[in-house]
Amino acid sequence: MSVGEAILRAVLVLAGFLVLPLVVGQSEHKVMAHMQGRLGPMEAGGFHGWAQLVADGVKFVQKEDIVPRAADRKIFRIAPMLAIVSYLAALAVIPLGPDLVGADVPASLVWVLAVGGIGTVGTLLAGWSSGNKYALLGAMRAAASLISYEVALILAAASFAIAAGSLSLVGIAHAWTPWWLIWQLPAAFVLLAAGTAELQRVPFDAPVADAEIVMGPYTEYTGLRFALFLLAEYAGIVVLSLLIAVLWLGGWTGPFDAHIGWLWTVLKAAIIVFVIIWMRVSWPRVRVDQLQRFTWLVLVPIALLQLLITAAGVVLWQ
């Protein structure tokens, strides 16, 4: 790879990272407005509320940036950046097409799982450094969620790697067949549920729990620093949706994929994004004990059973 090509790939990844989370945020405003009958997000700026995201941005810019006196100032400032940069590193290795990827590394699946968890570490640091008991409680809940759901997430991803015989996302997408839509359906379910829990999205948002612990780890954050955590959440949705699209839905596979393969990947990821937003609109928050029970008594057993089924399928049919 030439230096010019490497720079071009880096620029494209950065552009996608700056644009796609904003598109997800705007889409969430519209989907929630339609499903819940919210009038506000449909009115800002006139036609279909096109300026809602702009209004939110202006609101955050105008907010005062406050650092609590009892906070660890350095960690308090670093935490939001750590939360969002981790997803940039993950996005760099997720392919939109066989040759359209920021960096085609041999074990890209392992890389995504490793750096994706750093975002939750940013949340943990935010709560610990705030000098606030509610923020610390939220951070401890986030840590417990990370430890629990990371197990299910890794087991589900391992099923796809075993089925393809590769740890490369490009290699897994090349090995994909339509049979995977049924064969790997339980793994996809675990991947979606565990990934949503790590993003602390409804119904797995007990670490934030605005009705119980104010805003959890983000209680003391204001202005643009708080906005960075929201943007990190949307960036995490982008990474999770693209990952499921590549692993379970075949990525760029589709009609005329030689020419518009990247578009198929984006469209499949958009379906997953809609499902994640739909879950937020439809389901209530679960309790902390239910959060732990769900992963250890439901997701982990399903993922282990799926590993057994995948291993048997590889031995018998491949």
Side-chain angles (χ1 to χ4, degrees):
M1 182 188 302
S2 65
V3 176
E5 183 180 355
I7 293 175
L8 178 60
R9 288 174 182 258
V11 170
L12 290 176
V13 170
L14 182 59
F17 182 74
L18 294 175
V19 172
L20 292 177
L22 297 179
V23 173
V24 171
Q26 182 76 345
S27 301
E28 182 169 58
H29 277 113
K30 304 310 170 187
V31 172
M32 292 180 67
H34 282 293
M35 287 188 171
Q36 297 182 331
R38 298 186 178 188
L39 298 180
M42 305 304 294
E43 297 294 334
F47 177 73
H48 208 66
W50 65 270
Q52 180 62 50
L53 203 62
V54 177
D56 288 341
V58 173
K59 176 186 67 176
F60 285 122
V61 169
Q62 291 178 336
K63 297 290 184 179
E64 182 180 1
D65 182 18
I66 299 174
V67 178
R69 182 179 300 175
D72 185 323
R73 303 179 72 87
K74 291 184 179 179
I75 302 300
F76 186 84
R77 291 190 174 104
I78 291 174
M81 294 181 285
L82 182 64
I84 194 170
V85 168
S86 63
Y87 294 118
L88 174 60
L91 189 63
V93 301
I94 298 181
L96 296 183
D99 300 313
L100 188 58
V101 56
D104 185 11
V105 299
S108 51
L109 178 59
V110 177
W111 173 263
V112 171
L113 295 176
V115 301
I118 297 176
T120 308
V121 175
T123 300
L124 175 61
L125 291 178
W128 176 82
S129 65
S130 293
N132 180 296
K133 62 182 179 181
Y134 296 106
L136 181 60
L137 180 58
M140 293 300 100
R141 289 184 177 186
S145 177
L146 171 65
I147 294 172
S148 302
Y149 282 88
E150 193 75 17
V151 175
L153 193 69
I154 292 174
L155 290 174
S159 177
F160 292 100
I162 293 173
S166 174
L167 287 173
S168 167
L169 290 174
V170 175
I172 293 174
H174 278 303
W176 183 88
T177 65
W179 168 241
W180 283 29
L181 295 175
I182 300 176
W183 185 30
Q184 297 299 320
L185 177 60
F189 166 73
V190 174
L191 202 63
L192 177 62
T196 305
E198 285 209 351
L199 293 175
Q200 300 160 43
R201 297 271 302 181
V202 177
F204 308 108
D205 66 332
V208 177
D210 53 341
E212 304 168 22
I213 49 177
V214 192
M215 273 298 289
Y218 317 130
T219 298
E220 298 291 354
Y221 281 89
T222 59
L224 289 177
R225 297 188 196 279
F226 182 76
L228 283 178
F229 280 113
L230 294 182
L231 192 61
E233 178 181 325
Y234 291 133
I237 294 175
V238 171
V239 170
L240 176 62
S241 300
L242 287 173
L243 183 64
I244 296 176
V246 171
L247 293 179
W248 183 51
L249 299 178
W252 54 85
T253 302
F256 309 106
D257 51 14
H259 304 286
I260 59 170
W262 64 272
L263 183 59
W264 285 116
T265 305
V266 172
L267 290 176
K268 293 172 183 178
I271 296 174
I272 304 300
V273 169
F274 176 78
V275 172
I276 293 174
I277 297 173
W278 193 357
M279 289 167 58
R280 175 180 178 179
V281 176
S282 304
W283 290 339
R285 175 187 305 128
V286 299
R287 299 193 311 267
V288 176
D289 61 309
Q290 293 173 328
L291 192 70
Q292 296 298 319
R293 188 180 300 116
F294 181 65
T295 181
W296 291 113
L297 298 184
V298 178
L299 294 186
V300 170
I302 290 177
L304 289 173
L305 179 60
Q306 178 62 39
L307 277 178
L308 178 62
I309 294 173
T310 300
V314 169
V315 171
L316 293 176
W317 296 307
Q318 295 188 7

